Amino acid sequence: QVQLVESGGGSVQAGGSLRLSCKASGYSYWGKYMAWFRQAPGKEREGVAALYVSYAGGRITDYADSVKGRFTISQDSAKNTVYLQMNSLKSEDTAVYYCAADFKAGGSPLTVAYNYWGQGTQVTVSS
């Protein structure tokens, strides 16, 4: 059974940083995507960052335009954990952030077509 548990959310002032963690159990990263999504009140869930780890260890990342240059997705295989480092945070980054695993469709990995989801962690950025 796959379980994804997010942590690291909180409140921060604009310009600050946070690092989110997503610990996965019962899931193998190799040859699959993992991603971070967010959902603000009254808005649809949107993809923020995705990471593909090949069987050879190569990595491919994809980011939403709104976070490029500010957010970084990474993975620690030994800890079975995916991270989202968020820098230069803005008030519009305020949302519940979700970890997702096992992309089940073609096209962009920033769409919500994932088989497994975490419970979400709140990020609040005050201006």
Side-chain angles (χ1 to χ4, degrees), residues 4-64:
L4 305 174
V5 180
E6 301 102 330
S7 61
S11 298
V12 65
Q13 289 192 331
S17 299
L18 282 174
R19 189 177 78 157
L20 305 183
S21 300
C22 172
K23 185 168 179 61
S25 59
Y27 182 76
S28 172
Y29 296 100
W30 311 110
K32 297 177 184 175
Y33 273 102
M34 289 196 70
W36 286 95
F37 287 75
R38 66 187 181 187
Q39 188 166 19
K43 294 189 176 182
E44 293 187 353
R45 191 170 296 189
E46 63 170 350
V48 173
L51 171 67
Y52 177 84
V53 182
S54 73
Y55 288 102
R59 285 161 169 77
I60 299 173
T61 57
D62 199 359
Y63 294 94

Side-chain angles (χ1 to χ4, degrees), residues 39-126:
Q39 188 166 19
K43 294 189 176 182
E44 293 187 353
R45 191 170 296 189
E46 63 170 350
V48 173
L51 171 67
Y52 177 84
V53 182
S54 73
Y55 288 102
R59 285 161 169 77
I60 299 173
T61 57
D62 199 359
Y63 294 94
D65 288 342
S66 58
V67 306
K68 280 181 182 176
R70 301 189 298 123
F71 290 11
T72 303
I73 187 170
S74 62
Q75 174 235 8
D76 185 330
S77 300
K79 296 182 179 180
N80 262 15
T81 300
V82 171
Y83 302 98
L84 185 68
Q85 178 67 45
M86 305 185 295
N87 298 328
S88 302
L89 283 161
K90 306 175 181 179
S91 57
E92 51 262 45
D93 294 318
T94 295
V96 177
Y97 283 71
Y98 298 90
C99 176
D102 196 11
F103 186 53
K104 60 181 178 179
S108 169
L110 296 180
T111 57
V112 294
Y114 282 79
N115 282 315
Y116 307 106
W117 292 87
Q119 82 288 350
T121 185
Q122 177 70 46
V123 172
T124 302
V125 184
S126 57

